Amino acid sequence: QVRLVESGGGLVQAGGSLRLSCAASGIIVSINAESWYRQAPGKQRELVAGITSGGSTNYANFVKGRFTISRDNAKNTVYLQMNSLKPEDTAVYYCNAQAIPYNYWGQGTQVTVSS
């Protein structure tokens, strides 16, 4: 079992920055990759960024150059640094951990970007 707890969401003006955190606990050694997803009202959940246990990263095209995913292994925490935020980035952001064959989700954290 893996438990994920997100934090760091909030209200920010367009052009501002936020850093989301996802703290993992439980059988962490089983985690192969961690990702951030987001879901806006009336839309499907979509992948924002991911990082593997080896440190490889991938990003959705709509956040490339603006968001950075990173991990602090000592703290069992994954971060999403979000810069140059846009109103269309408004969504609930979810942390995901893959521990094959299982998939774990956090409770989500709201990010609201005002214009």
Side-chain angles (χ1 to χ4, degrees):
Q1 277 282 26
V2 174
R3 181 169 180 255
L4 304 173
V5 178
E6 301 106 328
S7 61
L11 173 64
V12 64
Q13 288 189 334
S17 299
L18 283 174
R19 188 177 80 157
L20 306 182
S21 300
C22 173
S25 60
I27 308 176
I28 300 167
V29 293
S30 65
I31 296 175
N32 306 111
E34 292 177 273
S35 303
W36 286 97
Y37 285 74
R38 70 185 188 186
Q39 187 167 18
K43 295 188 176 181
Q44 288 190 332
R45 192 170 297 190
E46 59 185 358
L47 176 67
V48 176
I51 185 166
T52 68
S53 56
S56 297
T57 59
N58 65 286
Y59 296 92
N61 286 335
F62 53 78
V63 302
K64 280 183 179 178
R66 300 190 297 127
F67 292 10
T68 303
I69 190 170
S70 62
R71 182 174 57 215
D72 185 333
N73 290 329
K75 296 182 178 180
N76 297 321
T77 299
V78 173
Y79 302 99
L80 185 68
Q81 177 66 43
M82 306 186 295
N83 299 327
S84 302
L85 283 161
K86 305 175 182 180
E88 51 263 44
D89 293 318
T90 295
V92 177
Y93 284 70
Y94 296 92
C95 182
N96 170 272
Q98 296 177 13
I100 297 173
Y102 304 106
N103 215 13
Y104 299 96
W105 293 93
Q107 82 286 354
T109 185
Q110 176 70 46
V111 171
T112 304
V113 185
S114 63
S115 57

